[in-house]
Amino acid sequence: MRLALLASVLLAATSVEASGQPAIHEYRPEIIVTSPRVLGFGAQFLYEQHLETNTLAPNERTQGIGIVSPSFLHVRAALEVRQVQQPTVLEHRYIPTIFSTIPLGAGFELRNRTRVEIRDINRAWSRRWQNRSAFGHDIDIAGQDVFTYVQLELSYDSRFSALNRIDKAVGVRVPITSKSSIDTFLTRQDDTRRNPRVLIAGGALLRVAL
């Protein structure tokens, strides 16, 4: 049943192809490295690219640093500073974030990320509120526990005073070692303030804790 659910989300995400609706297509590799923790706190370093799928030309490049807190009652906090480069835009983001995990029983979890991006886009300031919720479950694949999930993210942009972006995703997180894992995912993004409004992205996120 879980695989059927994942398949249905995958079909929904890619249905834009069947309808002939124009869309942006990207590949998104990302890495997050967390330093050894001191008193439960760790420094984070991240790098991400958004690549056009046909030519691998960079549409966006992000690099950043941050600090993450220890967990308390399934809740932890983070603060990040990011620099985002696009062909004609340079942006800096200052991002406080709250993460929470809610066990639902029977092995299911609800993982939530709520954050505010304070954005300096070519010296024009704005804010973006985002909430991401992932519903998932570990499944056994060849003796390995793999976390499979479906995910929904809502974004409100102060530049438009509108809830303008919705992301729907399906993903799989596979442990590599006791301190590293890799997520592979497929996302469909609908943004009412972009033309074309639909973006389809596949990617991989490597997490490493030192």
Side-chain angles (χ1 to χ4, degrees):
M1 184 176 70
R2 291 189 293 270
L3 291 178
L5 176 60
L6 289 172
S8 67
V9 174
L10 178 62
L11 289 173
T14 56
S15 62
V16 62
E17 303 295 340
S19 65
Q21 186 177 356
I24 301 168
H25 296 83
E26 289 184 341
Y27 173 61
R28 297 183 171 185
E30 182 177 359
I31 182 170
I32 299 175
V33 178
T34 304
S35 72
R37 292 181 178 252
V38 178
L39 300 177
F41 291 87
Q44 287 192 326
F45 308 88
L46 64 93
Y47 185 78
E48 178 181 1
Q49 290 200 90
H50 296 180
L51 305 175
E52 203 280 326
T53 53
N54 289 328
T55 65
L56 295 183
N59 293 335
E60 183 174 293
R61 181 180 294 113
T62 300
Q63 52 197 358
I65 59 173
I67 186 168
V68 61
S69 77
S71 295
F72 179 71
L73 297 178
H74 304 292
V75 177
R76 58 188 174 89
L79 181 64
E80 297 177 3
V81 178
R82 297 187 179 195
Q83 177 177 280
V84 182
Q85 294 175 288
Q86 298 176 358
T88 60
V89 175
L90 178 63
E91 177 181 352
H92 295 90
R93 298 177 185 171
Y94 308 91
I95 312 170
T97 306
I98 296 293
F99 300 91
S100 61
T101 300
I102 303 173
L104 300 176
F108 288 93
E109 288 184 346
L110 181 64
R111 300 182 179 182
N112 193 74
R113 185 191 75 180
T114 301
R115 71 184 187 184
V116 179
E117 295 182 337
I118 303 168
R119 308 172 72 189
D120 170 11
I121 307 173
N122 289 342
R123 311 312 301 172
W125 291 86
S126 62
R127 295 168 305 282
R128 181 163 62 190
W129 291 268
Q130 294 183 320
N131 188 80
R132 172 187 291 178
S133 295
F135 176 75
H137 191 286
D138 281 326
I139 61 174
D140 185 279
I141 298 179
Q144 180 73 62
D145 283 337
V146 174
F147 186 69
T148 57
Y149 59 91
V150 292
Q151 183 170 277
L152 177 68
E153 181 173 82
L154 304 176
S155 297
Y156 177 95
D157 197 320
S158 68
R159 293 176 299 170
F160 314 120
S161 298
L163 183 68
N164 62 298
R165 180 178 292 181
I166 299 176
D167 290 73
K168 304 169 186 175
V170 57
V172 177
R173 180 174 299 175
V174 180
I176 302 173
T177 69
S178 61
K179 292 188 175 182
S180 65
S181 65
I182 187 166
D183 283 47
T184 55
F185 58 87
L186 177 66
T187 298
R188 171 180 167 140
Q189 182 185 96
D190 291 89
D191 190 332
T192 60
R193 302 292 174 161
R194 180 183 59 212
N195 185 26
R197 64 181 291 170
V198 176
L199 181 146
I200 304 295
L205 166 57
L206 176 64
R207 305 173 193 266
V208 179
L210 301 178

